[in-house]
Amino acid sequence: MAALPPEVLTWIYEQNPDIEDFEDIDPDLDLFDTRLVNSLSLIEFVVVIERASGQVIDRRQLRTEDFQTLRTIQEKFFGGSTEAATTAASATVTEAG
């Protein structure tokens, strides 16, 4: 089970400085409905995920569903669940903060 890299949550935090604690982001929270990610920032978010995962995401086959929640991102690009991943990434961001 892979952890969600801290770069992913760091990017969300940088785009949304009003978020006080990453632990408040439920793994199933819809990132688009809550406007933590929007259509204008999606491509930048894709680049962050590419760099963190080491894979190239084919822009012609982008599906917003793949980026809908932290859980779907974890499962699609990092091969695991987000239970411990959110806490681990949060700790890393806090240390860097």
Side-chain angles (χ1 to χ4, degrees):
M1 171 171 39
L4 190 63
E7 304 94 273
V8 175
L9 289 178
T10 298
W11 183 88
I12 292 172
Y13 177 74
E14 288 172 352
Q15 301 301 309
N16 303 279
D18 53 316
I19 297 174
E20 293 183 16
D21 189 355
F22 282 120
E23 292 178 16
D24 291 339
I25 302 177
D26 184 289
D28 296 312
L29 182 71
D30 189 308
L31 300 174
F32 293 101
D33 284 349
T34 57
R35 301 185 195 276
L36 294 177
V37 176
N38 62 49
S39 59
L40 296 175
S41 65
L42 179 58
I43 296 301
E44 184 179 345
F45 193 40
V46 168
V47 171
V48 169
I49 292 169
E50 284 180 326
R51 288 181 182 154
S53 68
Q55 23 177 336
V56 175
I57 300 169
D58 185 348
R59 305 296 195 277
R60 295 170 296 180
Q61 296 189 15
L62 275 180
R63 297 174 348 137
T64 56
E65 301 85 41
D66 294 337
F67 305 91
Q68 205 79 37
T69 68
L70 294 179
R71 186 177 312 280
T72 56
I73 292 167
Q74 178 70 30
E75 291 170 355
K76 176 81 176 174
F77 303 105
F78 301 101
S81 76
T82 56
E83 288 185 23
T86 302
T87 302
S90 175
T92 303
V93 169
T94 302
E95 291 170 9

